[in-house]
Amino acid sequence: MKSISDIRRQYAKDGLDEGDLTPEPFALFERWLQNAIDAELADPTAMTVATVDQFGQPSQRIVLLKDVSPDGFVFYTNTESKKAQDLKQNSKISLHFPWHPLERQVKVSGVATPLSVAQVTRYFLSRPKPSQLAAWASAQSRPISSRQLLMTKFAEVKQKFADKTVPLPSFWGGYNIVPHKIEFWQGGEDRLHDRFVYTKDDQGQWQTERLMP
């Protein structure tokens, strides 16, 4: 196997300078997200979600972004999952969008706020029925002895709601991530990457600065 220390490439697809920045970060984020969608990247809305448990141990997993606006970044999950349990102890959270083919990444630092039941219900009812059933069948993050047992649980739920609207589980919800810092990273030649960070000041205004790569 080739030594992994020798695996590298040049980043030369694009640049990022002050003239590309927007007054607030969401407009730039939405532009980059649309670029990722237009480029037909696999899972352009996928993001790494990092939380910290009560013992200070960080944990990461990939989820899908389901909405973004100046109010924040939204995702949904089982409220008994590992990430949800972490957020009960510590609402601070980090998101990371890895758009590798575009040589771009975005890092978001903020606080997770639970969504209202009304907002969660609207989204849950918009999901394909198999996804709704999977939410009922899976006690997310809990151990299970076999995949067959999981499929058995799924079949039972499928039969139970065969001719019914699937209701919102009491253990299913979502979060809005209100950011206080958002960093945009664009790969550059010879590892001279372009990095700009937006930081919200005490007056709620966004300030920007360039970071060294």
Side-chain angles (χ1 to χ4, degrees), residues 48-52 57-62 82-83 86 94 96:
T48 301
V49 171
T51 58
V52 177
Q57 176 63 55
S59 179
Q60 301 178 22
R61 72 288 287 164
I62 293 176
K82 173 71 167 60
K83 68 181 86 61
D86 286 353
S94 179
H96 178 254

Side-chain angles (χ1 to χ4, degrees), residues 9 13 29 31-47 64 97-106 185-186:
R9 64 185 176 91
K13 284 186 178 295
F29 177 85
R31 183 196 306 165
W32 276 24
L33 176 58
Q34 189 61 54
N35 291 159
I37 294 170
D38 292 343
E40 298 183 346
L41 301 190
D43 300 317
T45 60
M47 59 183 184
L64 299 180
F97 295 85
W99 295 315
H100 300 304
L102 300 180
E103 299 175 355
R104 289 175 173 174
Q105 53 184 319
V106 176
W185 183 100
Q186 176 72 61

